[in-house]
């Protein structure tokens, strides 16, 4: 089986009935993990030709949407369980510091609007760094077992295989 986090920060919220905790928690965890599988499989394939920069903008919105779904599922499961468990390690702390530095950098930059309002996919914006940190922290919560990590990698490689087959067909039949 997988390796569990040895140290967790636990914040007790309220007491919920045991069976409600378990059923909500299981479904919320499945939804959150499915959102991360969607990140691995759908984001590389996702292109909608309806915007000026379809590949970049639509992938960013899909990725942010899936990260938000994973966050909401995690929050629901933690609230129903009656406690919030956060990973307690130096990597998580350094990621939070990175997000805080990005936010402060955005506040004190020459054009804060670009740092906070721009969702165009610029990976150096405060919004993007915040979502990267959020995804990293949620991944440490959702992927505690080796088989979950393996399934995520399968989704990522399946997406790469679909892209490879698409390119082979495109080259073989001279499709532009």
């Amino acid at each position: 089986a997988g390796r569990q986090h040895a140290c967790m920060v636990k914040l007790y919220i309220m007491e919920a009935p045991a069976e409600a905790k378990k059923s909500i928690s299981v479904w919320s965890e499945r939804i959150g993990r499915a959102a991360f599988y969607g990140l691995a499989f759908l984001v590389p394939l996702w292109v909608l030709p309806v915007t000026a920069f379809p590949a970049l903008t639509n992938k960013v919105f899909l990725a942010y949407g899936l990260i938000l779904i994973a966050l909401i599922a995690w929050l629901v499961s933690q609230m129903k369980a009656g406690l919030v468990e956060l990973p307690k390690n130096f990597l998580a702390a350094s990621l939070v510091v990175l997000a805080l530095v990005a936010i402060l950098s955005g506040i004190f930059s020459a054009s804060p609007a670009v740092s906070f309002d721009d969702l165009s996919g610029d990976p150096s914006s405060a919004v993007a760094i915040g979502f990267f940190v959020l995804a990293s922290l949620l991944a440490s919560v959702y992927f505690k077992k080796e088989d979950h990590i393996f399934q995520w990698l399968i989704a990522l490689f399946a997406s790469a295989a679909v892209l490879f087959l698409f390119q082979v067909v495109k080259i073989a039949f001279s499709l532009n």
Side-chain angles (χ1 to χ4, degrees):
R3 194 176 84 189
Q4 298 290 327
H5 291 286
C7 298
M8 300 293 260
V9 176
K10 294 184 180 184
L11 305 171
Y12 294 96
I13 300 167
M14 62 186 169
E15 190 60 35
E19 64 185 42
K21 286 183 197 178
K22 184 153 177 89
S23 67
I24 297 290
S25 178
V26 168
W27 278 104
S28 296
E29 189 168 322
R30 286 181 185 168
I31 290 169
R33 198 172 298 116
F36 270 97
Y37 294 151
L39 271 173
F41 185 76
L42 293 176
V43 171
L45 301 175
W46 190 261
V47 177
L48 290 178
V50 294
T51 60
F53 303 103
L56 184 63
T57 306
N58 292 326
K59 284 183 181 187
V60 168
F61 279 112
L62 177 64
Y64 290 174
L66 289 171
I67 292 168
L68 286 175
I69 289 170
L71 174 66
I72 291 168
W74 178 75
L75 287 173
V76 165
S77 107
Q78 297 301 301
M79 294 302 237
K80 288 296 179 181
L83 62 104
V84 176
E85 292 183 348
L86 301 171
K88 183 181 175 185
N89 56 40
F90 290 117
L91 180 60
S94 64
L95 286 172
V96 170
V97 169
L98 173 70
L100 292 174
V101 168
I103 290 169
L104 288 174
S105 172
I107 290 171
F108 295 112
S109 73
S111 64
V114 173
S115 296
F116 292 105
D117 294 339
D118 191 22
L119 293 178
S120 66
D122 178 21
S124 64
S125 71
V127 173
I129 292 174
F131 272 100
F132 296 155
V133 167
L134 183 61
S136 298
L137 294 175
L138 287 172
S140 72
V141 170
Y142 282 123
F143 298 114
K144 293 178 184 175
K145 296 181 181 176
E146 291 176 10
D147 61 330
H148 295 152
I149 297 169
F150 182 72
Q151 290 170 352
W152 186 85
L153 288 171
I154 291 293
L156 182 66
F157 289 130
S159 178
V162 169
L163 285 174
F164 174 75
L165 290 175
F166 177 74
Q167 289 296 341
V168 166
V169 168
K170 188 175 174 184
I171 291 170
F173 296 109
S174 298
L175 301 172
N176 286 333

